[in-house]
Amino acid sequence: MGTDSRERMVRSAAYLFRERGYSGTGFRDVIAHSGAPRGSIYHHFPGGKVQLAEEAVHYAGEFLNSGIQVAVESGDAASAVDAFVGWWRGVLVKSEFRAGCPVVAVTVESHEDAPQLIKAAAEAFTRWQDTLATGLENAGASPARAARLATLIVSAVEGATILCRAERDLRPLDAVVAELKELARTAVD
């Protein structure tokens, strides 16, 4: 039961960070969203909000990476792009453009007193890039080109997600995806 409450709180924190950011999400919000017992948050997260946020970033990073990994196993470069974008598209539409990336939400806030949060975010971004690069290499791109394209894909999709939220429209994401897929195809020709 305790582990279930803990996992619900981590998932809830990641979910809430997507819409409210790190600073805009408190323990009370996480308890209400997760339905976990009120006293359990300090039991499971003695390191406080920083510990909860670090684990939420790890969770979000791994969750998205597992989807990318499945798609890149197909060996098709465009599938790598689609895998990374598909989840964001669903998040944007389902949240009516209120939610973005929980990893970005934690990254953009100052955490001089909690360097482990920046480290966790950097690890998530690196993992996505590495997985995408592997998929691009498997599709025929050179290692150097695959690494550059993977960085471009992560950066462009994260940026497009922010534009979509601002414009309340999927057009920025659609435009970026079309260009990224073309680049991915040319990288393996």
Side-chain angles (χ1 to χ4, degrees), residues 160-172:
T161 301
I162 292 167
L163 292 175
C164 289
R165 288 184 72 189
E167 297 175 17
R168 302 292 195 245
D169 197 301
L170 289 172
R171 284 187 309 222

Side-chain angles (χ1 to χ4, degrees), residues 32-166:
H33 187 269
S34 69
R38 199 169 153 81
S40 64
I41 201 152
Y42 292 103
H43 169 74
H44 291 299
F45 304 99
K49 186 175 176 182
V50 170
Q51 181 185 0
L52 174 62
E54 183 179 8
E55 292 188 32
V57 167
H58 284 299
Y59 165 78
E62 288 305 310
F63 178 84
L64 185 54
N65 195 64
S66 66
I68 298 168
Q69 226 164 3
V70 168
V72 300
E73 289 172 2
S74 73
D76 175 23
S79 292
V81 175
D82 283 333
F84 192 63
V85 172
W87 188 75
W88 293 124
R89 182 180 302 282
V91 165
L92 289 164
V93 170
K94 186 176 179 181
S95 71
E96 297 178 354
F97 300 95
R98 288 188 313 272
C101 177
V103 179
V104 168
V106 170
T107 303
V108 298
E109 295 186 39
S110 178
H111 298 291
E112 291 178 19
D113 58 334
Q116 64 269 44
L117 294 181
I118 296 302
K119 182 178 183 238
E123 288 170 355
F125 291 133
T126 299
R127 180 89 187 254
W128 299 343
Q129 291 170 50
D130 289 348
T131 302
L132 288 165
T134 298
L136 291 163
E137 280 184 62
N138 291 343
S142 72
R145 181 89 193 268
R148 289 190 310 268
L149 280 172
T151 299
L152 178 63
I153 290 167
V154 172
S155 301
V157 170
E158 290 289 5
T161 301
I162 292 167
L163 292 175
C164 289
R165 288 184 72 189

Side-chain angles (χ1 to χ4, degrees), residues 16 20 25-36 38 41-42:
L16 292 168
R20 300 176 185 178
T25 302
F27 273 171
R28 286 185 182 144
D29 302 316
V30 173
I31 292 294
H33 187 269
S34 69
R38 199 169 153 81
I41 201 152
Y42 292 103

